Amino acid sequence: MIPSPFRLLVSAAAALLAACATRPTPSPVSTAPGPGAPYDGTVAIDPAAGTPSAGWTIVETDPLADSSVLLLNGGLVLDSATGASLATHRSGVERSLGRHVLHWRAASGPSDARSPRSATLYVRGTLRFSEDRINGASADWLELGLDSFWFPVFADFAHDVVGTVRLIMPPDAARRVRASGALSTRGDTVVLHNAQPLADFALVAARALVTTTAGALAVHHVSASGADVQRYLTSTRECTEWLNRSYGGRQRIERVDIVLAPRTGPGYARAGYIVISANELTRRDTLPGAEQRANVARSLFLCHELAHTWATGAVSNGPHNWLNEGLAEFVALRALRHLHGDSTYRAHLTRYAQLSAQQLASLPAAQQAVWRVGAVARPNAVVSYRKAPVLLDSLARQIGESRMDRLLARWFADDGPRDTPGFLAVLERQTDREMREWFEALLGK
């Protein structure tokens, strides 16, 4: 019997990790169009050293593309790329990331033209991490996601990240893993599967990971106090209940995993998987009202990340990203009003308006706008996270709260294009053309 690629990989994992002499081979991946096609990978990694050796099969699902550009961590080397669909490939460096261009063979006939192109990439090296510490690798903590480009990322950021990754670690580095997708184990191998489109393959792994659950909610940590864990469980439950009640008619938040990462740096979310810097818990505010301020800040962060259950789908590096971040922040502020009162809601909006006015004043007019016809650049963070929610509040005051609720629910359930014209079209159907034109002009100021 000929051993399967998976069995060959498992038996050779120790040697691979020690010397990177053997290349992991992905399991066969279907090249037929479908939600499970784009990624299939096998990654052997030593967490203490941050040294992956991987085989990735990727699929280009755009039938019109004659080439694909993939981004990889600057510390990783693309050893080789193979595939019947692949004509040539070349590698370079751009902004400290590896940039790998795959050129596809011309279609040989009508049926071939309809088939997605695939290639298998063999990758090795030592991961380089940014100063914000949002990802990292050490003997105690492994955290990987889009920010580290540990897997091949399509440079247009418009390809769904679905598929399967098998993660192999040395036996003496065995750890508990939590991830954005579904997790299972096959012997010593952890299998991460994104059945639904996500931003990336995101995971954390630690030997000493502790889990505290409350129904469908869980907090994972290495050293948080019981009181802090309970605070996160309470805030998560409050946000989840309000969001499901408000927008869960078609899709609901069923489960939430909160990871308290032992590091500084930003937090992030992938569906019901939220990572927060545990060091935020150690910042002690001794001024009056400190506990309330901490509760408000925790609610706002969690509600924003959970709102991405619905506020998602716009291309993240394009001009419509404000629909992801601005709507998530606006919805979080509405949750904040419910949980902590209208005065808290208004105080945040006032501060957002002041901050955006101050920080955008020195920029050209085009960069101050949330969106304009013909825009191609992604709006900066102040525009998406601060100005956009203020403008959405202005819209709510124009059309009324109940109609704003219906507009948001309709947009979150809409199957149309996830872009600004699509949002404006839903607004026009819920109100009228005059209101659409008014809000479109407001976005462009």
Side-chain angles (χ1 to χ4, degrees):
M1 179 184 294
I2 299 175
S4 70
F6 177 76
R7 288 179 180 172
L8 283 172
L9 174 62
V10 171
S11 65
L16 180 150
L17 287 162
C20 294
T22 305
R23 300 184 301 190
T25 303
S27 297
V29 60
S30 169
T31 57
Y39 285 94
D40 187 280
T42 301
V43 181
I45 185 169
D46 180 351
T51 51
S53 183
W56 291 96
T57 293
I58 59 94
V59 177
E60 174 55 80
T61 54
D62 181 357
L64 301 179
D66 56 12
S67 64
S68 302
V69 180
L70 300 167
L71 303 177
L72 269 171
N73 186 286
L76 300 181
V77 175
L78 177 59
D79 266 343
S80 64
T82 63
S85 309
L86 188 63
T88 62
H89 75 278
R90 57 185 173 83
S91 298
V93 177
E94 182 176 295
R95 296 180 182 178
S96 75
L97 289 176
R99 180 181 174 89
H100 308 281
V101 183
L102 309 183
H103 293 279
W104 304 109
R105 296 186 187 280
S108 59
S111 60
D112 189 24
R114 291 192 297 269
S115 300
R117 279 64 50 85
S118 68
T120 298
L121 315 177
Y122 295 100
V123 176
R124 61 179 174 82
T126 301
L127 291 166
R128 299 173 186 167
F129 297 104
S130 61
E131 293 180 357
D132 64 12
R133 300 186 181 183
I134 196 170
N135 281 183
S138 70
D140 299 318
W141 183 257
L142 176 68
E143 183 175 357
L144 299 174
L146 179 61
D147 298 87
S148 59
F149 291 85
W150 71 288
F151 65 98
V153 178
F154 284 88
D156 61 3
F157 294 94
H159 288 64
D160 293 334
V161 180
V162 294
T164 301
V165 183
R166 287 160 294 279
L167 191 70
I168 301 172
M169 292 179 281
D172 63 352
R175 359 180 125 206
R176 298 187 64 195
V177 178
R178 291 295 176 266
S180 54
L183 281 174
S184 60
T185 57
R186 298 175 185 171
D188 295 331
T189 303
V190 176
V191 182
L192 168 58
H193 181 64
N194 283 0
Q196 301 299 322
L198 292 173
D200 57 3
F201 294 109
L203 64 92
V204 299
R207 288 193 184 96
L209 198 64
V210 177
T211 296
T212 302
T213 60
L217 310 180
V219 173
H220 313 280
H221 63 95
V222 293
S223 60
S225 71
D228 281 332
V229 168
Q230 289 304 315
R231 290 186 183 99
Y232 272 94
L233 286 172
T234 298
S235 296
T236 303
R237 175 182 53 78
E238 292 173 344
C239 284
T240 300
E241 290 176 352
W242 186 85
L243 289 167
N244 277 338
R245 188 163 61 248
S246 300
Y247 308 112
R250 181 174 178 180
Q251 179 182 5
R252 296 176 61 82
I253 302 169
E254 301 293 350
R255 177 171 179 81
V256 183
D257 287 282
I258 305 291
V259 176
L260 303 180
R263 57 164 175 79
T264 58
Y268 54 90
R270 308 287 183 256
Y273 170 81
I274 301 176
V275 180
I276 304 166
S277 168
N279 290 331
E280 293 294 324
L281 301 175
T282 64
R283 297 182 181 180
R284 301 306 177 190
D285 183 347
T286 59
L287 297 175
E291 184 174 354
Q292 175 62 10
R293 282 193 296 278
N295 289 340
V296 167
R298 188 166 51 250
S299 293
L300 183 60
F301 177 86
L302 289 168
C303 290
H304 174 104
E305 300 300 352
L306 291 167
H308 280 303
T309 302
W310 302 276
T312 187
V315 175
S316 61
N317 72 329
H320 309 292
N321 186 54
W322 75 271
L323 287 168
N324 297 331
E325 301 304 342
L327 278 172
E329 188 69 6
F330 180 63
V331 165
L333 289 169
R334 290 166 75 81
L336 207 65
R337 179 169 59 189
H338 171 77
L339 297 173
H340 299 285
D342 188 69
S343 61
T344 301
Y345 173 77
R346 289 293 161 198
H348 275 73
L349 281 171
T350 298
R351 184 165 61 86
Y352 285 10
Q354 293 170 344
L355 286 172
S356 60
Q358 293 168 2
Q359 296 180 25
L360 297 176
S362 61
L363 298 178
Q367 294 180 33
Q368 297 184 38
V370 174
W371 179 82
R372 290 179 176 179
V373 174
V376 295
R378 170 179 172 164
N380 68 35
V382 175
V383 168
S384 291
Y385 288 85
R386 296 296 178 258
K387 184 175 180 178
V390 172
L391 300 191
L392 288 164
D393 175 71
S394 297
L395 176 62
R397 286 185 279 115
Q398 284 287 325
I399 67 177
E401 289 296 324
S402 60
R403 189 176 285 182
M404 190 69 186
D405 282 334
R406 291 195 296 273
L407 169 64
L408 292 172
R410 180 65 265 164
W411 170 249
F412 290 147
D414 193 73
D415 291 325
R418 310 312 284 175
D419 56 23
T420 308
F423 180 81
L424 293 172
V426 173
L427 171 60
E428 183 174 350
R429 291 198 296 271
Q430 294 294 309
T431 56
D432 54 38
R433 185 166 186 80
E434 183 179 359
M435 187 57 63
R436 174 207 170 119
E437 291 174 348
W438 174 83
F439 189 61
E440 183 172 344
L442 193 63
L443 293 174
K445 291 182 179 178

